[in-house]
Structure formats: C-alpha cells, structure tokens
Amino acid sequence: MTLPMERHVLVVFPHPDDEAFGVSGTIATYIKQGIPVTYACLTLGEMGRNLGNPPFATRETLPQVRKQELLASAEAMGVTDLRMMGLRDKTIEFEDDEKMVGMMEQLIADTNPSLVITFYPNYAVHPDHDATGRAMIRAIRRMPEETRPTIYALAFSNNSKTDLGEPDVVHNIKDAKEEKMGSMRAHISQTAWMLEEMDKRLADGEPEAENWLHFERFYTYDFNKDFE
C-alpha cells in the first residue's frame, strides 16, 4: 500500500516502545516513500516496571538500557531524526500545561509537518499518553485553521469505539512488517513476553495476530468534536 504523500510527518509519544506497537509500520512506510519523519520521544521510560528476573538493570541503569533500545528501534524503522525530549516518565501529566504546549509548538516550528501522529486525549489509557496528546492538540488548536497539520490520533481505551466509532484511517503496512517486528525486537526489555506470545499466535495463523502485524489504525482528529 502506498500512503498519501506528506510534506513531513511528526510523531510524538511519551515512552520508548510507544511507537513500536501501533505506528512503526506506518513510520517505516513513510520513510520508504521518501517522506521525512521526525520522532520525538518525551521520556526514556525510566519508570518501566520490567527490570527482568534475574534483573538486567537497576532503576538507575534502566534509562540507558531503554535509550539504546530506542536508538535501535529508530534504526529498524529508518528514522534519522529522533529527538529525546528529556522529560521524566510518569510525570508528564504533572508538567506545566504551557511548558508542554510550548514544547509541541517548537517541534511543529522545527519540522513544519503536514501530518502529526500522537495519542488521542482521554482515550489512550495511560496518563502520560493522554497528557502528550492533550498538549499537541492544544498547540495545533492555536494555529490558524488553514495552516494546521492533519492529526492522526491513536485511541485504544475500552470505550474508544463506543464513543469515537471505528478508526477512519487504516494503513496496510504488510510491506513494512519486518521493520515493525524489528522495532518490537529493539525494545526487548519491555516486549519479550509479548513477542514470545505473538510468535506462537502467528505460527498458529491466528487472524487477530496477522491483523495486528499487517494493519495500523488511526482516528483523524476532528476539532469540531474537540476533547475540551
């Protein structure tokens, strides 16, 4: 599948590995099409629960482990503009609202994107996810309507389909499945359990697993149905 051409794609998520699960195939596909992609990751996931058994890291060394995994994921997808924004894991919801909006405005000013991919506020389960999407939506809302980039938002809370309906954007990323699995494997400290299970499901030909590997889904954010 060839995705619609974009001037520049800006992807903003709070944690290393957020990109791997639902967007890495899309990112890799855009890059294969020659479309520049910037990925801004707000934290190094230093509060991640999985430290291994036996432990592979301490709370102090985990950020470096996850930083290296993030770099490996970017390489797997072909991302050359990876920005680590230096915020702290699990505290984004407590950051000053204007500081967060200012950070998003600077990313937009730097990259001039025609498309932004982030989380859908209130439908992304984790407080850091919601706070990231909220800041980006607020930043874009302040722009003149005619200059706003399109927003593809990820939503996966239990009530997302009830409230929002089915995602209106579906990307067939079958040709980028190796890059997607490469991104997943790069974050092995956090994804090992899932990959083991996914390998079994794929080997069994489970349709839901094949679906996850071949398709990525988004909601086009509608300011007429604004979250606030």
Side-chain angles (χ1 to χ4, degrees), residues 1-4 19-33 77 117 152 169-184 202 208-218:
M1 178 181 181
T2 300
L3 303 182
E19 82 288 353
F21 292 96
V23 184
S24 52
T26 292
I27 291 173
T29 301
Y30 279 130
I31 291 171
K32 286 182 177 184
Q33 291 181 206
M77 296 182 292
I117 301 176
Y152 286 173
V169 177
V170 180
H171 289 167
N172 183 333
I173 50 90
K174 190 173 181 178
D175 291 342
K177 65 180 182 181
E178 291 304 320
E179 287 84 353
K180 180 167 186 165
M181 290 305 292
S183 175
M184 289 290 294
L202 289 169
E208 190 175 334
E210 293 280 351
N211 197 4
W212 170 81
L213 187 59
H214 294 162
F215 297 94
E216 293 178 345
R217 296 169 170 81
F218 308 91

Side-chain angles (χ1 to χ4, degrees), residues 82-131:
L82 171 65
R83 304 189 186 195
M84 303 182 197
M85 305 304 290
L87 298 183
R88 187 168 178 77
D89 190 12
K90 290 192 176 178
T91 66
I92 294 176
E93 63 177 315
F94 305 114
E95 293 283 353
D96 178 79
D97 285 345
E98 283 304 311
K99 172 187 171 182
M100 289 296 297
V101 171
M103 179 181 285
M104 301 303 155
E105 289 176 331
Q106 189 60 57
L107 286 167
I108 292 168
D110 286 350
T111 58
N112 189 25
S114 55
L115 174 66
V116 171
I117 301 176
T118 190
F119 286 118
Y120 204 124
N122 303 333
Y123 293 99
V125 179
H126 191 294
D128 282 354
H129 297 175
D130 287 331

Side-chain angles (χ1 to χ4, degrees), residues 12-57:
V12 183
F13 293 129
H15 308 120
D17 78 9
D18 284 337
E19 82 288 353
F21 292 96
V23 184
S24 52
T26 292
I27 291 173
T29 301
Y30 279 130
I31 291 171
K32 286 182 177 184
Q33 291 181 206
I35 298 169
V37 176
T38 296
Y39 175 29
C41 187
L42 302 192
T43 81
L44 289 178
E46 55 267 48
M47 296 302 289
R49 284 185 170 186
N50 188 10
L51 295 174
N53 185 19
F56 59 82

